[in-house]
Amino acid sequence: MRFNPFIHHRFLTNAVIALFVSAFILSAYDGERKALADISWLDIVGEGGIVMMTLTWIFALLISRPPGKVTCFLVLGLGLFMFSASLDLFDEWLHQPTNTWLSLIESLPAPIGMVFTSLGLYQWHQEQFVLNRQLKRREAMHREHELVCSITGLYKADYLQTVLKEQLNESQPLQLAAIDIRGFADFNAEFGFIEGDRLLREVSELMIMNCRLTDVVCRYAGDCFMVLMPNTTALQGKELVAQISSALSHCAFKVEGEKHAKFQHATVALVGSEQGDTAHRLSARLHAALQQQKQHRVSHCEAVS
């Protein structure tokens, strides 16, 4: 989620703008314009770069973080540092009288800003500790945000392949399961993609809740999920998959505007690792097993009808 600095962080945005404008006004109040021959262009490039980079960091914080004390400490700390850097930059253009009160204002905000930034970083560390505990159910000691599904918050198939390759190098049994939500295309067609995306998010949370801390849940494609179960026997894997399927079938999903809840059912497949297996070979076996289960279900439905 991206945040609008002028809506979600109105106070902080106005404070940063006020600090920059104040630095210019204070420099221009007693300052006299320097002759071009006296201007050090190299200093302007260096100090101007510091100001621009600090403003870029502030902007990145404002658009990527929600309101809160961590954001406030970090932005105000960087804002004060930017204030001192701006005074240094304007000094390159304007000559200031010696022993002026501006020298105190120029040097004091930077260390205060560093204190604020340090407090913000400490609070950010505490925040990350909590977030890491929440993400432990989704990650397997890796973090690649480019591989995260934007709808479910789960990792995609490429991430699963990376973890699977590492797990296959371990001398322990593992199981890989595929869970395909039945009739999801019809659900989208009937209720729309917004409700469909919400259903996928709820399904992903339900699957995480019914998996162990060591398991890795990924969204493989569309309405298909995969669960990697390290150090797991075939019997344990079947039991876990049965529990997930049962949880899905008993979850009453409430569609907006509908009186009756919608219950989800899944087609599942499970394969175990074999000696000499590769990630590609194991995934191919799972895909074949899933297609076989789907075909078996279609044949069964046709026979019954």
Side-chain angles (χ1 to χ4, degrees):
M1 179 178 180
R2 293 190 181 274
F3 299 89
N4 188 322
F6 297 97
I7 296 177
H8 299 99
H9 301 289
R10 187 177 303 169
F11 167 76
L12 292 176
T13 301
N14 290 335
V16 171
I17 294 174
L19 285 170
F20 184 80
V21 173
S22 298
F24 176 77
I25 293 175
L26 289 172
S27 297
Y29 181 73
D30 282 333
E32 298 176 357
R33 184 177 174 181
K34 291 183 179 180
L36 289 178
D38 296 332
I39 295 177
S40 174
W41 297 103
L42 184 61
D43 287 344
I44 288 178
V45 171
E47 293 171 4
I50 292 175
V51 173
M52 291 302 299
M53 287 304 301
T54 307
L55 287 172
T56 302
W57 296 341
I58 292 173
F59 179 74
L61 281 170
L62 292 175
I63 66 172
S64 60
R65 287 195 54 86
K69 60 181 179 181
V70 175
T71 306
C72 189
F73 277 131
L74 292 175
V75 171
L76 288 180
L78 289 172
L80 289 171
F81 183 82
M82 179 274 302
F83 176 78
S84 291
S86 298
L87 289 175
D88 287 337
L89 173 63
F90 295 138
D91 280 351
E92 300 300 326
W93 297 90
L94 302 169
H95 175 72
Q96 301 292 338
T98 57
N99 298 323
T100 181
W101 50 269
L102 189 60
S103 60
L104 178 63
I105 298 178
E106 182 178 324
S107 58
L108 191 59
I112 296 176
M114 295 178 70
V115 171
F116 274 97
T117 304
S118 299
L119 288 173
L121 288 173
Y122 173 75
Q123 294 292 333
W124 174 80
H125 169 73
Q126 298 295 103
E127 177 187 82
Q128 286 299 118
F129 180 75
V130 175
L131 292 176
N132 286 340
R133 285 194 302 177
Q134 294 177 334
L135 290 173
K136 189 176 181 181
R137 301 297 300 272
R138 299 176 182 268
E139 298 178 334
M141 306 307 293
H142 296 271
R143 183 166 296 173
E144 299 290 344
H145 71 274
E146 299 92 347
L147 303 179
V148 173
C149 169
S150 59
I151 296 174
T152 63
L154 299 176
Y155 277 102
K156 302 176 185 177
D158 290 342
Y159 176 85
L160 180 68
Q161 293 298 311
T162 300
V163 179
L164 186 56
K165 290 177 183 177
E166 295 184 359
Q167 291 296 328
L168 286 172
N169 291 328
E170 303 290 334
S171 57
Q172 60 183 15
L174 65 84
Q175 302 294 314
L176 184 63
I179 301 172
D180 189 86
I181 308 301
R182 298 179 197 164
F184 182 70
D186 295 334
F187 184 94
N188 267 339
E190 184 177 356
F191 301 109
F193 289 103
I194 295 178
E195 286 297 303
D197 290 348
R198 190 167 70 88
L199 174 61
L200 288 176
R201 284 192 291 270
E202 296 298 329
V203 167
S204 66
E205 293 294 336
L206 188 63
M207 291 180 62
I208 290 173
M209 187 169 57
N210 283 275
C211 287
R212 304 164 302 181
L213 290 175
T214 54
D215 299 331
V216 181
V217 183
C218 291
R219 184 188 180 192
Y220 184 70
D223 55 356
C224 183
F225 297 83
M226 283 192 178
V227 182
L228 173 62
M229 296 167 275
N231 196 22
T232 303
T233 64
L235 183 61
Q236 292 171 331
K238 289 179 181 178
E239 182 180 358
L240 181 61
V241 168
Q243 291 170 353
I244 294 175
S245 298
S246 177
L248 288 172
S249 63
H250 287 86
C251 178
F253 182 78
K254 308 298 192 303
V255 179
E256 186 176 358
E258 291 289 314
K259 295 181 179 179
H260 302 289
K262 300 295 178 181
F263 294 88
Q264 308 306 312
H265 300 281
T267 302
V268 301
L270 179 70
V271 296
S273 61
E274 299 175 355
Q275 189 172 6
D277 252 340
T278 63
H280 177 73
R281 188 183 304 168
L282 186 60
S283 300
R285 286 212 318 273
L286 179 63
H287 179 72
L290 181 62
Q291 295 305 314
Q292 185 178 4
Q293 290 293 331
K294 287 183 177 181
Q295 186 61 42
H296 176 74
R297 180 177 175 275
V298 171
S299 300
H300 177 73
C301 292
E302 290 177 349
V304 172
S305 60

